[in-house]
Amino acid sequence: MAAHMTVPSDAQLIKAQADLQRHSLTYLTSMALRCAIELGIPTAIHRLGGTASLPDLMAALSLPPPKAPFLSRVLRLLAKSNALACTDAGIYSLTPLSYILVDGVLIDGEARQTAFPLAVTSRYHMESGLGLADWFKNDRALPVPSPFEHVHAAAPFDESMTLLDHETDKLFYEGLAAHDHMGIGTVVRECRGLFNGLESLTDCCGGDGTTARAIVKAFPHIKCNVLDLPQVIEKVPSDGVVNYVAGDLFHTVPPAQAVMLKLVLHFWSDDDCIKILAQCKKAIPSREMGGKVIIIDIVLGSSLETITETELLMDMLMFICTRGRQRDEKEWSTIFMKAGFSDYKIVKKLGHRGVIEVYP
């Protein structure tokens, strides 16, 4: 028998309508942030000395004067969402969020973050989200394509996307680099024991070597390999700091005392993760000889032991664009054991990311 729901009170109905409006319109916060990036608002505030009024920004951005009231409304929303700070007098300043969107400002040599919000608010992502209901209704044989593939007949970080839209494909890779490299400085500072005693390390899907170079800078004795696909490696100039290897981690991983997978496995299904980890296990020595796999990835529930909205949104991003997912500790443990590893340890939790050592 169906449960009977009590008719909401007037107060509950009013709140329900407000909640419905918020859920329906929250995408406009993302659009406002995208607008701020494209106009260069964080950079303008930075160049104006760190604070700016509305007239200051209108002049710095060379915007038509009649647009001032409308820019004010965008700035008000950005301040409400903590993308900017604002005084009662209407003076805007940067928050940590907008600071990492300033042109030319790098933290620990890492990529600035503008490409990530621009990539995930692209029309391709929006259209993929709009196609979710149709995707669920569609009965496709395994492996089931992602909603992105279903809508566009192409996949991010694949040759099909290059053929579909070369410029957006380039933006996706820039967004991936920003997503991947942000935070390695914190890992090196907060988890020094992770690298103590290591003589060699292979960074899988290490791109242009930003992460590996940060490790070598902090630990000059470690010899680092960077493994990535040929089309990625061929664009990276040799720097003499790390050894770049073109290859596919599904087939072989350059031998090292430790293998690192930083924000890699959440792009892949459980079965694919097991295959990747099996290749990593072949590349490292025994635990007694210091062999381990270092995984830096989202661990659902790692922030104060509860799953945050950001974690769930990142899981939805993986669902829409890839065949991967975010995982909680139990799910990580399962794929480690299925890949033939004996044990693991979460060394540190940095926000919603976990730093994990996995032992053969």
Side-chain angles (χ1 to χ4, degrees):
M1 180 181 294
H4 177 70
M5 180 176 176
T6 303
V7 176
S9 66
D10 288 343
Q12 289 173 323
L13 286 171
I14 292 172
K15 183 178 185 302
Q17 185 179 45
D19 288 343
L20 177 62
Q21 292 168 344
R22 178 175 57 83
H23 279 288
S24 301
L25 298 173
T26 191
Y27 74 94
L28 291 173
T29 303
S30 300
M31 294 299 103
L33 182 63
R34 182 184 178 94
C35 173
I37 293 170
E38 293 179 328
L39 290 176
I41 289 174
T43 301
I45 293 174
H46 181 70
R47 289 175 178 172
L48 287 167
T51 60
S53 64
L54 177 62
D56 292 334
L57 287 172
M58 291 294 296
L61 300 172
S62 301
L63 298 178
K67 299 293 177 67
F70 305 101
L71 181 63
S72 175
R73 290 154 71 177
V74 171
L75 294 172
R76 180 173 60 185
L77 177 59
L78 291 172
K80 182 66 175 178
S81 60
N82 201 38
L84 292 174
C86 183
T87 68
D88 292 339
I91 302 299
Y92 296 94
S93 58
L94 300 176
T95 63
L97 187 161
S98 46
Y99 180 81
I100 59 177
L101 300 174
V102 173
D103 189 18
V105 172
L106 303 180
I107 301 173
D108 298 322
E110 299 159 7
R112 66 191 180 99
Q113 297 296 294
T114 54
F116 179 77
L118 292 178
V120 299
T121 57
S122 74
R123 73 173 184 86
Y124 294 101
H125 285 73
M126 299 298 104
E127 290 168 359
S128 299
L130 290 171
L132 274 179
D134 182 59
W135 180 88
F136 273 106
K137 295 174 184 176
N138 190 274
D139 188 10
R140 292 282 294 270
L142 295 174
V144 177
S146 70
F148 191 106
E149 293 174 276
H150 175 70
V151 171
H152 301 295
F157 319 116
D158 183 79
E159 185 180 0
S160 58
M161 189 66 215
T162 308
L163 295 173
L164 177 65
D165 186 332
H166 176 72
E167 287 303 313
T168 301
D169 178 62
K170 181 181 176 183
L171 174 64
F172 286 178
Y173 273 105
E174 291 172 354
L176 178 66
H179 171 257
D180 287 357
H181 296 321
M182 187 65 184
I184 186 58
T186 302
V187 170
V188 168
R189 287 187 291 272
E190 296 286 331
C191 308
R192 294 189 65 85
L194 198 66
F195 305 100
N196 286 338
L198 280 186
E199 297 177 359
S200 60
L201 179 143
T202 293
D203 182 15
C204 291
C205 301
D208 65 2
T210 296
T211 292
R213 287 195 300 274
I215 293 170
V216 172
K217 182 179 180 181
F219 303 91
H221 64 279
I222 298 179
K223 295 180 180 179
C224 278
N225 303 310
V226 169
L227 172 70
D228 217 313
L229 296 172
Q231 61 265 35
V232 175
I233 296 297
E234 67 185 13
K235 298 175 184 176
V236 180
S238 178
D239 55 22
V241 177
V242 299
N243 176 43
Y244 294 93
V245 181
D248 185 339
L249 78 171
F250 280 96
H251 297 116
T252 184
V253 173
Q257 193 175 10
V259 171
M260 175 178 282
L261 294 162
K262 184 173 184 285
L263 299 170
V264 171
L265 295 179
H266 64 192
F267 286 103
W268 300 100
S269 68
D270 288 356
D271 288 343
D272 283 337
C273 285
I274 291 167
K275 293 174 185 176
I276 292 169
L277 287 166
Q279 291 297 333
C280 294
K281 187 171 180 287
K282 292 178 183 178
I284 60 175
S286 66
R287 183 174 183 176
E288 291 71 26
M289 298 293 291
K292 62 184 177 181
V293 175
I294 300 169
I295 295 173
I296 303 173
D297 219 315
I298 289 175
V299 179
L300 295 176
S302 65
S303 303
L304 303 177
E305 307 305 325
T306 60
I307 298 178
T308 66
E309 184 179 17
T310 299
E311 292 170 0
L312 295 178
L313 289 171
M314 288 297 292
D315 183 56
M316 284 296 293
L317 178 64
M318 293 300 103
F319 159 40
I320 288 173
C321 296
T322 75
R323 299 180 188 182
R325 57 182 298 199
Q326 309 296 353
R327 298 171 174 89
D328 61 26
E329 183 176 350
K330 183 178 179 180
E331 290 164 334
W332 281 117
S333 175
T334 298
I335 64 171
F336 296 155
M337 298 306 111
K338 286 185 176 180
F341 289 86
S342 64
D343 199 6
Y344 73 94
K345 177 174 68 175
I346 297 180
V347 176
K348 188 85 172 180
K349 294 179 179 179
L350 301 171
H352 55 259
R353 295 179 182 178
V355 181
I356 310 171
E357 287 186 337
V358 190
Y359 309 111

